[in-house]
Amino acid sequence: MIRSYALTVGAILTVSISINARAADPLPTETHKVLTAALAVEAAQAAIVACKAQGYNVTVTIADRAGLPKVVIVRDGPPGVGTEVTRRKAYTAAVQRVSTGDFTKRISAPGAFNPGMYDSQLATGQGGVPIKVGEETIGGIAVGGAPGGDKDEACAIAGIDKIKDRLN
């Protein structure tokens, strides 16, 4: 008698748990576009070509949407701007979803919040640009080594322009 009672209670609990599990809301899902390695390499090469056409020898880093390096191409010749600078600028552009120049302006305003206080990987100065599909940021590109951040940024934009027709 006790055995059959225990089996019955066990069966009822199993059924009720199964029903509750099916009735529960499923976990939310998230979808997003991904920057492919092929497009990242092409953008990096285009940025280098744009800078070389102006006589600048540069390093380029492209980061994914989370700011992790996807492509790093180090300049030929003598060391200049290190990969750490371009890595941090690409990271900043990707996670802050604005150019590093705009990020610098935003945090430079009196009384502005500076997330760099909590994330030491964020970088200021020009040269990093987010890679976007519509309003969605899918990565960041950063160039370093040209004589001025404005020239670095122009080369980064040239890299994005090379692939923008395939960012959809």
Side-chain angles (χ1 to χ4, degrees), residues 93-166:
V95 300
Q96 291 296 313
R97 294 162 171 59
V98 295
S99 73
T100 53
D102 288 344
F103 176 71
T104 302
K105 288 176 194 170
R106 187 170 66 194
I107 66 170
S108 297
F113 171 70
N114 181 0
M117 293 172 48
Y118 304 101
D119 185 350
S120 63
Q121 298 305 307
L122 294 173
T124 56
Q126 290 179 294
V129 180
I131 301 171
K132 295 187 174 228
V133 176
E135 292 300 311
E136 181 181 0
T137 301
I138 62 169
I141 180 172
V143 175
D150 58 330
K151 293 168 183 65
D152 288 335
E153 188 168 310
C155 292
I157 291 170
I160 294 171
D161 287 345
K162 175 72 173 175
I163 63 167
K164 73 179 174 184
D165 61 327
R166 287 164 284 147

Side-chain angles (χ1 to χ4, degrees), residues 12-96:
I12 290 171
L13 284 175
T14 302
V15 168
S16 69
I17 290 172
S18 302
I19 291 170
N20 285 339
R22 279 191 223 130
D25 289 334
L27 289 174
T29 58
E30 184 177 287
T31 60
H32 57 267
K33 301 206 181 274
V34 175
L35 178 65
T36 65
L39 285 176
V41 168
E42 190 175 342
Q45 289 172 332
I48 289 172
V49 167
C51 272
K52 277 198 188 225
Q54 298 174 54
Y56 312 138
N57 197 11
V58 296
T59 296
V60 178
T61 299
I62 296 188
D64 65 13
R65 70 185 295 112
L68 299 173
K70 193 160 188 93
V71 173
V72 179
I73 300 178
V74 180
R75 66 188 263 161
D76 293 327
V81 173
T83 57
E84 184 63 13
V85 171
T86 58
R87 182 197 65 77
R88 289 181 58 203
K89 286 185 179 186
Y91 170 85
T92 302
V95 300
Q96 291 296 313

